[in-house]
Amino acid sequence: HVTVRCPSNPDHFLIQPYGLFFNEVTASSLLKIDADCNIIQKGSTPYGVTRSGFLLHSAIHRARPDVHAVLHIHTGLAAGLSCLKYGFLPLSQDHLITGPVSYHDYTGIFEDDPVLLKRLTDDLGPTNKVLVCRNHGLVVCGSTLEECWYLTVYFMWSANVQFNALAAAGGDLDKLVMPPKETIDQV
């Protein structure tokens, strides 16, 4: 799912209709919804929106007014990385560009449970923009849709580097070279 806060009304969001592949989504097919997932303006398709799919987005948009775009994916790389106990390792410059990464323990399909949604936003934190949902996938936030996409691309490149490096090292973390803290901080 991808959501973008509407500039004309910060309590309204654009989201792709449930039932279209990303390559089928057009500007006219987007739905405008409010924070409670009510459709304000229907797009050009007969499709609607899944409430459970928007709950995660809604929680983040409510908790973080600085966030204007949220992307949530379950790609093989993102979901695979979310299953690793040691998480997302700072192995490459691409990783360092994504900034700090937060983690959220998976509790099942997102439900309209204020306690669970608060835990999610607390785990994301007040400034982080990348959240790994353990055993689930990835959530990326941005002040713009472009920033959200940029961070997602860098995360995916980094995840690919991590899996390749781990494969080459036979899964032995001691065979991996981590940049020093000064380099991480500088990037």
Side-chain angles (χ1 to χ4, degrees):
H1 299 285
V2 179
T3 56
V4 179
R5 191 184 303 269
C6 292
S8 60
N9 185 335
D11 295 325
H12 290 169
F13 308 92
L14 297 175
I15 188 169
Q16 85 277 10
Y18 186 70
L20 292 181
F21 291 108
F22 284 120
N23 65 338
E24 297 175 312
V25 176
T26 63
S28 65
S29 68
L30 294 173
L31 304 172
K32 184 187 285 189
I33 58 176
D34 66 16
D36 295 318
C37 204
N38 298 308
I39 295 176
I40 304 298
Q41 186 175 348
K42 191 149 181 68
S44 61
T45 73
Y47 300 114
V49 62
T50 60
R51 184 168 175 74
S52 63
F54 181 64
L55 285 173
L56 173 148
H57 296 252
S58 177
I60 293 171
H61 282 297
R62 287 178 187 196
R64 296 274 304 271
D66 62 308
V67 169
H68 293 276
V70 178
L71 177 109
H72 176 53
I73 56 174
H74 308 154
T75 64
L77 284 173
L81 191 135
S82 76
C83 298
L84 300 176
K85 283 185 179 181
Y86 44 79
F88 190 40
L89 300 174
L91 295 173
S92 67
Q93 178 173 300
D94 295 334
H95 173 281
L96 304 179
I97 289 171
T98 64
V101 175
S102 301
Y103 295 88
H104 174 73
D105 290 331
Y106 183 58
T107 56
I109 301 297
F110 287 103
E111 297 178 21
D112 201 359
D113 179 339
V115 173
L116 293 177
L117 294 173
K118 172 93 168 80
R119 187 179 324 146
L120 173 104
T121 57
D122 286 349
D123 288 344
L124 175 62
T127 59
N128 282 9
K129 294 186 176 182
V130 179
L131 177 70
V132 174
C133 295
R134 298 225 184 254
N135 306 100
H136 185 80
L138 178 68
V139 177
V140 180
C141 306
S143 56
T144 64
L145 184 57
E146 293 83 1
E147 179 187 28
C148 191
W149 180 251
Y150 174 86
L151 293 172
T152 301
V153 167
Y154 273 87
F155 181 94
M156 299 305 285
W157 285 342
S158 305
N160 192 42
V161 167
Q162 180 169 326
F163 280 115
N164 286 329
L166 282 168
D172 185 351
L173 292 177
D174 291 332
K175 291 182 180 177
L176 300 177
V177 177
M178 303 285 182
K181 181 181 179 339
E182 299 79 32
T183 302
I184 293 171
D185 292 343
Q186 189 270 340
V187 174

